[in-house]
Amino acid sequence: MKRAAMALIGAAAVALALTGCSPAASDAPEPAEGELQTVKVGAVPVVDVAALYVGENEGFFAEQGIELEIEFGQGSAAMIPALINGQYDLLYGGSVNLLQAVGQGLPLVATAVGGRSTGVVGEDHGGVLVPADSEIQSAADLEGRTVAVNALRGLHEVALWEAIRKDGGDPAQVDFVEMALPDMGAALESGQIDAASTAEPFLGVLQGAGDRLVTSTYAEADPDFVTALYFTTEEKAESDRELIERFNTALEQSFDYAQEHPDAVRAELGNFTEIDPALVDGMILTDFTWGLTEGDLQLIADLAAAAESLDDPDGATERAAGFIAGE
């Protein structure tokens, strides 16, 4: 596997190195018979991506004639232009990001699930934390409070709107502020924010420091919440469908193996992160259950629309589901 960038994740800081531009994926020469075909994947350095490394180590991608080249960036939304310009064959990114991009008219389609909620409240990889002595006890108590999210109108905010509403609160009365995940702990401690919507590994770090979980954002929004997707351009899906299907075959094997061997996932985190081994051992992993349906996308689109983050959920779902629907 070619590794184009490394991301360093510590308990208090994240440093991401963007790679330089590479030749357009569509311009790459066809491999000679018996050679592996390079597939360029843009991603953000989160736990889900370890499944790619597991699959590479187990030989699943090589069996499909594929060599992976992964490039890490600061966020999937910011990397979409590079995908459209042919720098990547596929992107791994947030499910809400994709549907919002499609809703804005960008020619993108979902190709596979990237990660999903465990569906278990209190044991999921995303949640809202407050200081131990906070008066906030549940999602509804966030009404009128300042809550940090890593991206306004993004995955965390969309999920939290639904969790608050289900708990009887009014999410429109929450003051959401954008803040990098590594900065939320200090902001909680100083009183700059009342609550932080975060995810692993920061979820475990802050809980270990004494902050208290008040809601498992994804699981309480919906136990089937798909947090991340692999996606590509409509043009790539049409012109190179056979390649994407081979990628998906290997990815499915990787997900199945990761689901059955969580220790293998944890062991691969060192390929693209630097995390204290003690933290890795206790980290809650994504649910690597394979499968993606139009219904999964519709759920996310409807939640995004309810959070006033997507105007046409049905249209965005239909367009984003083109590849998985066989169109």
Side-chain angles (χ1 to χ4, degrees), residues 70-310:
I70 304 173
E71 294 185 2
F72 290 110
Q74 293 179 337
S76 55
M79 299 171 78
I80 285 174
L83 174 68
I84 292 175
N85 290 334
Q87 184 175 334
Y88 306 120
D89 296 299
L90 295 151
L91 273 188
Y92 162 95
S95 55
V96 172
N97 288 152
L98 170 63
L99 288 160
Q100 287 172 331
V102 172
Q104 293 166 3
L106 295 183
L108 304 172
V109 291
T111 57
V113 65
R116 63 176 79 237
S117 168
T118 65
V120 181
V121 174
E123 298 180 18
D124 204 8
H125 50 90
V128 174
L129 299 175
V130 298
D133 59 356
S134 172
E135 297 178 351
I136 299 171
Q137 298 296 322
S138 69
D141 293 339
L142 296 171
E143 186 176 327
R145 308 294 184 128
T146 299
V147 181
V149 292
N150 68 324
L152 292 175
R153 303 298 184 186
L155 181 71
H156 283 259
E157 184 172 339
V158 165
L160 192 49
W161 266 64
E162 182 66 8
I164 292 170
R165 185 182 291 108
K166 282 185 173 180
D167 198 41
D170 181 2
Q173 301 304 314
V174 176
D175 180 19
F176 290 100
V177 297
E178 188 169 307
M179 183 177 294
L181 293 175
D183 298 334
M184 291 182 185
L188 273 178
E189 185 176 356
S190 68
Q192 180 183 349
I193 57 175
D194 298 306
S197 185
T198 188
E200 293 287 13
F202 303 101
L203 184 69
V205 171
L206 296 182
Q207 284 184 285
D211 292 319
R212 175 167 50 83
L213 182 74
V214 296
T215 179
S216 295
T217 323
Y218 311 140
E220 298 211 43
D222 193 281
D224 295 321
F225 197 103
V226 171
T227 55
L229 298 164
Y230 287 88
F231 54 97
T232 191
T233 63
E234 291 178 352
E235 180 183 2
K236 185 71 175 178
E238 293 172 2
S239 66
D240 243 341
R241 186 178 186 94
E242 186 268 343
L243 173 62
I244 296 172
E245 289 177 344
R246 283 192 283 120
F247 175 88
N248 280 356
T249 296
L251 186 62
E252 179 178 3
Q253 292 176 297
S254 303
F255 267 47
D256 290 346
Y257 191 90
Q259 190 79 338
E260 296 297 324
H261 301 85
D263 288 345
V265 177
R266 299 179 195 280
E268 290 304 317
L269 295 179
N271 279 316
F272 57 98
T273 69
E274 286 186 356
I275 304 176
D276 186 331
L279 175 61
V280 170
D281 289 343
M283 187 182 301
I284 298 173
L285 303 179
T286 190
D287 180 354
F288 285 107
T289 299
W290 182 252
L292 181 66
T293 68
E294 188 167 347
D296 292 327
L297 298 178
Q298 187 72 58
L299 170 63
I300 303 304
D302 288 343
L303 292 179
E308 302 175 5
S309 297
L310 185 65

